[in-house]
Amino acid sequence: MSTLWTVILFTVSGNSLVIIAIAHFKQLHTPTNYLTLSLAVTDFLLGGFVMPPSVIRTVEKCWYFGDFFYRYYAICHPLTYKSKFTIVFTKKMIFICWSLAAIYGFGMIFTGYNTKANEDIFDGNNFCVGGCLIIQSEISIIVSSLISFYIPGSVMVMIYLKIYLVAMKQAKSLRQTNEAHRNEVSKKRETKAAKTLAIVVGAFLFCWSPIFLCYVITPFIKFSVPLLLLQFLFWFSYTNSTFNPFIYAFFYKWFRKALKLIILGQIFKSNSCSVELFSE
């Protein structure tokens, strides 16, 4: 149990630092970082509101309380992406994503898309008094899995494959034409950011693929997956929210500098929001 609470602590504290850094320092108020901020808020909410109840469910065995398209344009359309992907547009896009997720999640329940399982589906080990066990039919599980994971995951993989190919082509062209050093540094920064986000996407797919695979298979084997295995897969997927701040800290020099300023309390000084984070 202490291990689970340690995971929660790292998830909440790590993503809190990401949120504070991007919200406080003006230099980080860019469309890319707003997408990172949205992801950090999602991870923070998962660590603060989803993981703690999951600890109780895991230990007690029952529950008794009843940025990616922006980076694509930055690499593939460098001459027009700044005019198209403004901060206002990015905020609208984030709002739409959160709204659609809420509509989809609540709609699944209130429209009766989920069907409550009969007690005879569960054996004595899985059924407990006071539990709220909601399952879906085979068709609804396949549809919801496609909409929430498999289709978005496939789109992200295809986009980053395109980003990689274009970035390699532009790097080759850059060497051949001997462009100015400033443009070369800028292009390297964009490429590094694309690679970092690709690692974030890869970590997401790596952590969440097992539980969604199990999710699709479960109804076809009459929900006979061991409860312990389900709990392990759920917690493995949750750790994706724990990994992300460490990925930022490893790849982003600006995040390490912002983290140092936050820990030392420098953000409480006047004009600290204007500190230069990208100086060499």
Side-chain angles (χ1 to χ4, degrees):
M1 184 174 180
S2 59
T3 301
L4 300 181
W5 285 112
T6 301
V7 172
I8 293 175
L9 177 62
F10 276 106
T11 302
V12 173
S13 58
N15 286 286
S16 296
L17 292 172
V18 177
I19 294 171
I20 293 172
I22 297 177
H24 180 76
F25 295 104
K26 292 182 179 180
Q27 196 176 16
L28 302 181
H29 293 180
T30 65
T32 300
N33 287 333
Y34 277 127
L35 296 176
T36 303
L37 176 63
S38 177
L39 177 60
V41 171
T42 303
D43 292 337
F44 173 82
L45 293 176
L46 187 143
F49 295 95
V50 177
M51 287 186 177
S54 295
V55 171
I56 299 174
R57 184 185 62 200
T58 299
V59 174
E60 299 293 338
K61 308 303 181 185
C62 286
W63 175 248
Y64 298 107
F65 307 106
D67 103 71
F68 300 114
F69 289 100
Y70 170 82
R71 187 54 54 192
Y72 170 82
Y73 268 85
I75 296 294
C76 300
H77 303 281
L79 299 179
T80 59
Y81 82 94
K82 285 188 177 181
S83 61
K84 290 184 177 181
F85 285 86
T86 62
I87 290 179
V88 174
F89 177 81
T90 304
K91 289 180 178 179
K92 291 180 179 178
M93 185 168 59
I94 292 172
F95 175 78
I96 292 174
C97 290
W98 280 74
S99 299
L100 290 177
I103 293 172
Y104 174 76
F106 287 110
M108 288 278 290
I109 298 175
F110 294 132
T111 61
Y113 192 58
N114 282 1
T115 57
K116 187 171 183 179
N118 295 323
E119 294 181 6
D120 57 2
I121 293 180
F122 299 91
D123 57 29
N125 295 325
N126 290 331
F127 178 77
C128 62
V129 177
C132 182
L133 300 173
I134 300 178
I135 65 169
Q136 297 171 250
S137 65
E138 290 87 345
I139 298 300
S140 65
I141 282 182
I142 293 176
V143 172
S144 61
S145 297
L146 287 172
I147 294 176
S148 59
F149 181 76
Y150 289 106
I151 293 178
S154 299
V155 171
M156 286 190 293
V157 170
M158 289 187 293
I159 287 176
Y160 270 99
L161 179 60
K162 177 66 177 296
I163 289 175
Y164 176 78
L165 294 176
V166 172
M168 293 302 99
K169 182 178 179 180
Q170 290 182 351
K172 183 178 179 180
S173 175
L174 198 64
R175 290 191 296 268
Q176 291 176 345
T177 57
N178 294 319
E179 291 186 25
H181 176 69
R182 185 182 64 178
N183 291 334
E184 184 177 354
V185 172
S186 176
K187 185 59 61 179
K188 285 183 178 179
R189 179 178 293 178
E190 292 291 347
T191 303
K192 181 180 179 180
K195 290 180 178 179
T196 303
L197 290 178
I199 293 175
V200 172
V201 173
F204 168 79
L205 296 175
F206 176 75
C207 291
W208 282 95
S209 292
I211 187 61
F212 271 96
L213 178 62
C214 182
Y215 180 59
V216 172
I217 295 175
T218 296
F220 297 97
I221 57 176
K222 298 182 179 180
F223 303 92
S224 59
V225 178
L227 183 60
L228 183 61
L229 176 60
L230 284 175
Q231 291 175 344
F232 172 79
L233 292 179
F234 269 115
W235 277 99
F236 183 71
S237 63
Y238 292 162
T239 56
N240 174 239
S241 297
T242 310
F243 294 152
N244 285 335
F246 290 97
I247 295 174
Y248 305 146
F250 185 80
F251 286 97
Y252 287 143
K253 185 176 180 180
W254 61 260
F255 180 69
R256 295 194 296 272
K257 186 172 182 179
L259 180 62
K260 181 179 179 180
L261 294 174
I262 293 172
I263 294 177
L264 295 178
Q266 299 296 316
I267 61 173
F268 298 107
K269 294 184 178 180
S270 59
N271 297 325
S272 62
C273 60
S274 301
V275 171
E276 176 68 38
L277 296 177
F278 295 103
S279 58
E280 299 297 335

